Amino acid sequence: MTSLKSFQTEIEQFSNKQRHPGPQPASPTSPTKASQKVEEPEVAEEADEEPSDQRESLQSLLANESTQSQARDLLASILLQSKGEFVLHLGLRPPLPQVWASDEKPVTLDGDPTSDLTPDKATEAGWTGSYLTPETHKLVMERLVAVAEEIGGHNTTLFTHEHPPRSIHLLRLPPNGVEDTVEVRVAVVGNVDSGKSTTLGVVTRGALDDGRGKARVGLFRHKHEIETGRTSSVGMEILGFSPDGRPIYPAYHVGTAEAVSGFDKTAFAPATARREKLGWDEISMQASRVVSFIDLAGHERYLKTSLFGLTSGAPDCVLLMVGGNAGMIGMSKEHLAVALALSVPVVVAITKIDMTPENVLAETKKQVQKILRSPGCRKTPVFVRNLETAIQLSQTFTKDRSVCPVFLLSNVTGEGLEMFRTFLNLIPSSEGDQNKYPVDQPLEYAITEVWSVPHVGTVVNGLLASGRIKAGDPVLYGPDSTGAFLPTVVKSIHRKRAEVKSAEAGQTVSLALKRVRRAGVRKGMVILQKTETPPQVTTPPCSEITRQCFTVEYEVSPPGSHAVRQTVRILSMDNPQGILRTGDRATVEFEFLTQPEFIKPGMKLLFREGKTKGLGVITKLLP
């Protein structure tokens, strides 16, 4: 697994160099070998350093009564640059290693909350930021609320502590519409019976489980899933967060905190007069942030389906569920290896802690720590025991890939769920990443699902990899069985089942296509910007591609990249022995057997044949 990690780093570097070249379909020609120059990976720097100057400036302006207008303008500028969300730290900040090692109680200076605090003492202890007296800290918090209200935003106090005085605030602007709502995609994986669907049911519905799987029933899509309690398809669930940071549940129940506080105005209405469930469109219109969960199957029988959902869904992070009573067994290791291969940040959730004996839970923790610290993973597990740790981890784990948050959850008692929801509310989204999803590049939309909707026609769902798209735009879709791209028009666009007028790179949307037959569209096709000379393959429907491959155990996925999934044939490899074993590298030429596919250099590749699994990257398309 050590060589896998180093090879995965090289793949990531090559993919970044080749990202978003001109679109071209794969075409079969004579074989040509590809070469690759690998650079040393850069050392990860301290995370969360970029907004430190803005944070200190905003805190200084808020502390001075005569500079409130400047603080308002600076806050508005920060929110516009950060897509309407910003996490602000007031006061001193403890060193991250101390936060990672903290228990249920927040970090205090020298571990003594009654000790005399001076700025010099805090600096010597490694604390950063500016010291605020209790009176000044209270005054700055009050002014922050007023300034946020002036610009139409919301201030939510996530965490506050008195020794030393410090607090963490979530500042958020309501979006103008569903088009501007921030979305975070989370792929949920893990072994069968690890509690994936039950946890999602509790997190997204707000009601606890009864210990017999009551919370998961609403997530299943098929009758046999309800009967067996096991997911066999790619399920989708969303959790919305309002501008003030509250989770938006489809239904509130009598006696909940929302009902008692008056937040849910219909909680005490008669059942006949109360809507029991909000639709996705209604949640999206109320939310400033939407977390989309991709619920994947854990049984080995449905591994191909799970890997398709994991690769085509473009998740911002992977949530690996581990049953506290069983440990990391079976497909959990397979899923973890695939997440490492795709270079996706990993979050571990140990479930069923209410029914697991203490000695068994302790062994599960040790096993998780051992696997995460192994040479193949090289991650530092951080157990989330307090709210400050959850907040700090949400802002750092996507930048510092060596850190892996670990949550302890109980769907029956609710233990750990509050910290987990706060963590989900703060995970940075990749939508604004111009390197990953460039808005100024030509349109490229990957199709992952196809439906035929009555009175609408053919509807496709997928990820907008680059560019922008509007309703009424003429586009091309393909390649078909002959490698051709056909013209069509986008009739309408929906995001989370709510109609929108436009979408941009990084967003997952559904498109209704004009005068397109359902049988003429398949998963793996792409939608491109219409041009006078549409891309065409020059030879029969098969294609050879050169890929640098690496065979390793526990790497399992159908061949292809993103939504592309097809059977291929190996034509040649540059290994002298003509075979690949665990740890070997080679330049391998593949040939699609069924039809052309839209691929580009830099796309990652997962392939398998029987028990042989491999990881690679497309380095060159043969001319």
Side-chain angles (χ1 to χ4, degrees), residues 410-432:
S410 171
N411 297 318
V412 176
T413 63
E415 182 178 350
L417 292 178
E418 179 182 358
M419 294 183 292
F420 185 58
R421 288 194 182 96
T422 301
F423 178 83
L424 295 173
N425 188 23
L426 302 176
I427 296 178
S429 174
S430 60
E431 287 183 356

Side-chain angles (χ1 to χ4, degrees), residues 100-285:
W100 302 161
S102 60
D103 52 13
E104 287 80 3
K105 297 181 180 180
V107 180
T108 57
L109 191 62
D110 295 337
D112 183 9
T114 61
S115 60
D116 296 332
L117 179 65
T118 61
D120 294 337
K121 188 176 181 180
T123 303
E124 294 176 359
W127 289 56
T128 58
S130 302
Y131 171 71
L132 297 176
T133 63
E135 295 77 12
T136 304
H137 179 243
K138 182 179 179 181
L139 185 62
V140 169
M141 291 177 62
E142 293 175 354
R143 290 173 177 172
L144 180 62
V145 175
V147 169
E149 291 179 351
E150 288 182 14
I151 62 175
H154 294 264
N155 168 59
T156 303
T157 302
L158 301 172
F159 169 83
T160 182
H161 199 259
E162 298 178 355
H163 302 286
R166 66 184 190 274
S167 58
I168 305 177
H169 303 262
L170 172 63
L171 299 164
R172 180 173 283 168
L173 284 176
N176 296 325
V178 181
E179 298 96 330
D180 301 326
T181 303
V182 176
E183 180 186 10
V184 176
R185 293 180 289 270
V186 179
V188 184
V189 298
N191 193 52
V192 62
D193 297 333
S194 60
K196 298 184 295 299
S197 298
T198 302
T199 301
L200 289 187
V202 171
V203 170
T204 59
R205 262 61 174 183
L208 297 177
D209 187 49
D210 61 352
R212 298 179 179 273
K214 177 183 177 181
R216 70 189 179 193
V217 175
L219 277 67
F220 290 145
R221 303 172 61 184
H222 304 288
K223 180 181 178 182
H224 68 270
E225 293 180 337
I226 299 176
E227 294 173 348
T228 62
R230 295 178 177 178
T231 302
S232 62
S233 59
V234 178
M236 296 293 297
E237 288 296 323
I238 66 170
L239 173 63
F241 288 94
S242 63
D244 57 359
R246 293 175 180 265
I248 302 174
Y249 299 128
Y252 294 107
H253 302 279
V254 175
T256 60
E258 289 80 9
V260 175
S261 63
F263 180 71
D264 178 24
K265 304 298 183 182
T266 65
F268 296 101
T272 55
R274 183 175 69 248
R275 293 194 62 177
E276 294 296 337
K277 185 176 181 180
L278 294 176
W280 281 23
D281 54 342
E282 295 172 304
I283 294 177
S284 301
M285 288 185 286

Side-chain angles (χ1 to χ4, degrees), residues 21 23 76 102 125 150 157 187-188 218 229 251 265 291 332 376 422 426 439 448 481 487 503-504 507 516 584 586:
S102 60
E150 288 182 14
T157 302
V188 184
K265 304 298 183 182
V291 180
S332 297
T422 301
L426 302 176
V439 180
T448 59
S481 58
E504 62 181 26
Q507 297 180 348
V516 174
D584 291 346

Side-chain angles (χ1 to χ4, degrees), residues 31 543-545 547 549 551 559 567-575 578-580 586-593 605 607-609 612 614:
S543 46
E544 298 174 1
I545 53 179
R547 312 184 184 198
C549 303
T551 302
T567 304
V568 297
R569 176 171 57 223
I570 295 178
L571 297 180
S572 65
M573 65 179 66
D574 62 358
N575 189 291
I579 59 174
L580 292 177
T587 299
V588 183
E589 296 174 6
F590 290 98
E591 177 186 36
F592 287 127
L593 296 182
L605 164 73
F607 68 95
R608 68 173 181 171
E609 192 280 319
T612 303

